[in-house]
Amino acid sequence: MRQTPEQSLEQKFNAAWPKRHWCESHVVLAVSGGPDSIAMLRAALTIKADCGGRGQVHVAHFNHRHRPEADADQEWVESLCHCLNVACTVRSGNIGALAATQGDGWEAAARFA
């Protein structure tokens, strides 16, 4: 199905991930706090509310502690989830140390964590 600029984000989201496949299930979304993951979270919540599914949306956030803003990002994601009444699980880790032991580089270690 070809998407047009006039389609809402929720329509595009549903076209890529049809709600019939997930509306009744629990869903865990990885949310970094950036605009893409926040848009994904809001679209999923809107669709979930419209379809009345029994499953819940749960946010997972991993603080890589790589940037000075990382703690502020974590706090913002936690605050947003609180405001949206969405469960949120946060973890953090020393990605530099993990990257040094794995030998695959920082990005690979961050994805692994």
Side-chain angles (χ1 to χ4, degrees):
M1 172 164 105
R2 184 160 187 242
Q3 296 177 352
T4 66
E6 295 80 26
Q7 287 178 306
S8 72
L9 176 60
E10 289 81 10
Q11 288 171 319
K12 292 177 182 180
F13 187 98
N14 191 51
W17 195 26
K19 63 185 171 187
R20 69 181 178 276
H21 296 300
W22 64 275
C23 195
E24 296 294 323
S25 302
H26 296 306
V27 177
V28 178
L29 299 175
V31 176
S32 67
D36 293 348
S37 64
I38 297 303
M40 172 189 64
L41 171 60
R42 289 191 170 274
L45 291 173
T46 298
I47 292 169
K48 185 67 98 167
D50 287 347
C51 70
R54 292 184 301 258
Q56 298 174 354
V57 173
H58 189 100
V59 166
H61 176 83
F62 194 90
N63 184 342
H64 297 103
R65 304 207 185 280
H66 186 66
R67 298 178 301 110
E69 314 77 38
D71 288 341
D73 290 345
Q74 174 184 327
E75 290 173 16
W76 190 81
V77 168
E78 289 174 313
S79 176
L80 177 64
C81 288
H82 178 76
C83 290
L84 296 172
N85 198 30
V86 174
C88 179
T89 299
V90 175
R91 298 289 185 266
S92 64
N94 184 337
I95 302 306
L98 185 59
T101 61
Q102 286 187 333
D104 289 332
W106 190 90
E107 288 185 10
R111 282 190 298 274
F112 176 79

